[in-house]
Amino acid sequence: RIKLKHGSHREGKRTDSVMQKWRGNGLGQFIHWGLYAIPGGEWNGKQYNGAAEWIRSWNGIPKSAYDSLIYKFNPINFNADEWASIAKNMGAKYVTITTKHHDGFCLWPSKYTSYTVANSPWKKDIMKPLVDAYDKAGLDVILYFSIMDWNHPGWRYDIKTKADSIAFEGFKKFTRNQLIELLTMYPKAKGLWFDGTWDKSWVKQAKFADELEAEMRKLRPGLIIGSRFRADEYGKRHFDSNNVLMGDYEQGWERKLPNSIADVHGNDWDCVMTIPENQWGYNKAWKGHIKSSNELIEMTAKAVSLGGNFVLNFGPKGDGSIRDEEKKLASEIGDWMKVNSEAIYNCEYSGLEKQDWGYFTKKREKDKVYLIIFNTPVSGAYRVKLPAKTAIAKSYLLTNPNMDLRVEEVHSNEYFIYAKPTTEAKPFVIVLDTKKKENNGGNNYEKAK
Ligand SMILES: C[C@@H]1N[C@@H](c2nc3ccccc3[nH]2)[C@H](O)[C@@H]1O
């Protein structure tokens, strides 16, 4: 092990209640909203090919023209309660909201810059009504914060000269001030989701970022901080030079999911996902592959089956309304969650060998295993392999707990569970109540003939 001053300060998962709650959330909503939602991926009738929230970086637009969008920010259809109810009805247990994206525009009236809602026609704080609305709806709030800030004169991609270094010192103070300001103004926020920390300028700030993380944790005990915030003194990000996760959860799964438990190294993690291929901010063009609710439910199940949370992104329009396509998907996912969320909430990695029909989840501290079925075998038999000392006490459809499913032991600790596929092509859940095997190895189901 390398001696590190600014590496990870924690081994293993946090066991406090705030982190346990986060761990059990399963499904979250991401909100990307800001000035970029006004052009919506288009400028002077031309479509921008990249992600809409990056349109400022497009050569086709003078930076000053983009920055002047502040004078157009007047979201007359903004309704925080509506956003919160969409998330609640989808079955999300928390929301991650952009306070400031790479463009530097602040959705809260920050004292440390004039580039905020306070100096827009809207004038009012956006973050407070959002935090209050989601809190009232029973969802936890995580604040997204981009370190990279294209609007701040002190931002640098790298620090090459003395002048760079002086400018960046000012930027670091500004960044610290804004983060302390956010935690002070919105004490209900449970955590932080950091972005824009890959450039050399920030990677070189191991000591500063480490001390800032400590200051934030002192100010807000229990705060949940993502691994993308800081690098160690050797420039290692997410995992320090001893391969220990920095922060409280891994933020490496952006628009991609881990494939096996080996990929997550026993850590907490979230996967943040766009509905189109790669659009976080609102894009007028709803083009390319748009994920269906079945696809998104499967990603949610896969994430929970590997011990993580799935956070689905919504990009409200410049006027503050949420597009119909996103509302429809949220409601379809919600319809499924209303029936099946027992297999998602407070569930974790089961330790069981993955099978072709779908994903296992396991209720934390219970002997309950869920089979979330996406691929119905023509045999109607769902293979399950259990550890030696575990037996199946009962097996049934989540939607029909009174009808025991037929269980056949095909050989020791390997079973077929027989269930009729549901009528419509929607994922469904088989429940296994497990128990410790009696020493005679007796089980109350038929042996293979
Ligand atoms: C959560 C996502 N992270 C931002 C982002 N910027 C990137 C630049 C390069 C590679 C990946 C990126 N992700 C996206 O704009 C969005 O906010």
Side-chain angles (χ1 to χ4, degrees):
R1 283 179 82 91
I2 303 167
K3 184 133 185 47
L4 288 174
K5 283 208 205 77
H6 305 301
S8 174
H9 300 302
R10 211 178 26 77
E11 295 262 348
K13 295 178 172 178
R14 276 175 43 177
T15 54
D16 56 289
S17 59
V18 174
M19 197 70 208
Q20 291 270 32
K21 162 65 169 64
W22 183 93
R23 188 172 292 138
N25 284 339
L27 179 62
Q29 179 193 51
F30 213 140
I31 292 280
H32 271 73
W33 198 42
L35 299 181
Y36 42 77
I38 297 168
E42 236 176 66
W43 198 274
N44 288 343
K46 272 184 70 185
Q47 282 196 349
Y48 167 56
N49 293 329
E53 72 284 355
W54 274 73
I55 194 166
R56 185 181 187 277
S57 68
W58 184 22
N59 295 335
I61 306 176
K63 304 293 179 231
S64 55
Y66 177 92
D67 293 347
S68 303
L69 287 170
I70 182 171
Y71 304 115
K72 289 203 178 121
F73 186 76
N74 190 24
I76 49 170
N77 294 324
F78 171 60
N79 179 334
D81 288 319
E82 194 208 345
W83 293 15
S85 71
I86 288 170
K88 185 182 179 69
N89 292 333
M90 178 169 82
K93 287 289 184 189
Y94 70 123
V95 64
T96 301
I97 309 172
T98 47
T99 58
K100 177 179 88 170
H101 201 258
H102 308 333
D103 63 359
F105 180 66
C106 302
L107 289 181
W108 81 100
S110 175
K111 293 201 302 284
Y112 301 101
T113 170
S114 58
Y115 201 49
T116 82
V117 283
N119 298 308
S120 74
W122 185 254
K123 294 199 185 324
K124 299 180 290 292
D125 185 357
I126 288 280
M127 286 313 299
K128 177 114 181 58
L130 279 174
V131 171
D132 290 348
Y134 279 92
D135 183 58
K136 200 169 73 186
L139 280 77
D140 290 339
V141 175
I142 300 283
L143 302 178
Y144 165 110
F145 184 88
S146 174
I147 297 288
M148 176 166 71
D149 180 332
W150 297 325
N151 186 267
H152 192 280
W155 168 254
R156 294 289 184 280
Y157 288 97
D158 195 359
I159 298 163
K160 293 215 175 7
T161 65
K162 183 79 188 126
D164 284 345
S165 172
I166 293 165
F168 207 69
E169 282 311 304
F171 177 76
K172 285 157 61 176
K173 278 189 188 55
F174 160 76
T175 298
R176 179 236 167 241
N177 290 340
Q178 284 206 316
L179 284 168
I180 299 302
E181 180 180 50
L182 281 168
L183 294 179
T184 306
M185 290 178 74
Y186 311 106
K188 287 177 191 158
K190 294 288 183 304
L192 296 165
W193 202 96
F194 283 99
D195 207 359
T197 56
W198 44 77
D199 290 298
K200 287 200 188 86
S201 53
W202 186 259
V203 169
K204 287 172 179 171
Q205 309 304 325
K207 181 174 184 298
F208 174 77
D210 190 15
E211 289 169 357
L212 178 49
E213 181 169 316
E215 182 184 6
M216 291 191 286
R217 290 188 190 281
K218 191 157 172 277
L219 173 66
R220 184 76 54 238
L223 193 66
I224 297 172
I225 297 178
S227 65
R228 205 180 275 190
F229 178 47
R230 63 190 179 90
D232 75 4
E233 55 260 50
Y234 294 95
K236 291 280 286 158
R237 300 180 61 227
H238 296 287
F239 293 88
D240 69 15
S241 303
N242 294 314
N243 237 352
V244 182
L245 182 73
M246 301 180 27
D248 302 309
Y249 66 99
E250 193 198 344
Q251 284 186 265
W253 305 99
E254 177 176 321
R255 294 191 306 113
K256 62 187 181 195
L257 275 161
N259 233 335
S260 79
I261 199 65
D263 294 337
V264 299
H265 314 287
N267 297 304
D268 286 303
W269 57 277
D270 70 1
C271 163
V272 291
M273 187 58 72
T274 50
I275 294 173
E277 186 48 35
N278 184 13
Q279 295 296 331
W280 298 89
Y282 173 70
N283 192 320
K284 288 176 187 152
W286 191 243
K287 65 184 183 190
H289 178 70
I290 305 296
K291 298 173 188 77
S292 68
S293 54
N294 275 339
E295 255 185 284
L296 295 166
I297 292 164
E298 179 158 3
M299 291 180 177
T300 304
K302 181 167 186 178
V304 174
S305 78
L306 293 173
N309 289 332
F310 186 70
V311 184
L312 183 61
N313 183 69
F314 289 69
K317 298 180 190 172
D319 71 350
S321 65
I322 292 196
R323 70 194 310 158
D324 291 343
E325 300 93 335
E326 290 182 351
K327 281 194 229 178
K328 183 165 177 288
L329 281 169
S331 125
E332 289 168 359
I333 294 166
D335 290 346
W336 188 83
M337 287 292 281
K338 280 179 184 62
V339 173
N340 298 287
S341 63
E342 181 184 326
I344 299 292
Y345 298 148
N346 294 312
C347 285
E348 59 188 15
Y349 170 59
S350 67
L352 301 178
E353 184 184 303
K354 168 115 183 29
Q355 301 295 331
D356 295 337
W357 41 255
Y359 307 92
F360 283 113
T361 61
K362 178 181 169 301
K363 189 63 76 181
R364 190 163 57 205
E365 284 134 31
K366 287 255 182 9
D367 293 331
K368 245 181 212 311
V369 168
Y370 302 94
L371 286 65
I372 310 179
I373 310 294
F374 291 88
N375 314 307
T376 305
V378 286
S379 64
Y382 297 84
R383 186 187 302 277
V384 173
K385 288 184 186 172
L386 291 180
K389 291 276 171 282
T390 307
I392 299 175
K394 203 166 150 7
S395 175
Y396 51 93
L397 290 177
L398 183 59
T399 51
N400 191 353
N402 301 322
M403 189 198 73
D404 286 6
L405 297 177
R406 186 160 71 85
V407 177
E408 177 195 3
E409 185 167 12
V410 292
H411 43 80
S412 72
N413 277 86
E414 186 164 336
Y415 311 87
F416 276 152
I417 297 168
Y418 292 89
K420 297 230 171 333
T422 51
T423 44
E424 43 150 6
K426 262 290 179 205
F428 66 96
V429 175
I430 293 172
V431 186
L432 292 188
D433 287 342
T434 62
K435 63 180 182 180
K436 290 276 165 281
K437 232 174 191 168
E438 286 98 39
N439 48 27
N440 68 4
N443 294 305
N444 56 358
Y445 37 74
E446 64 184 84
K447 290 261 185 235
K449 297 278 178 292

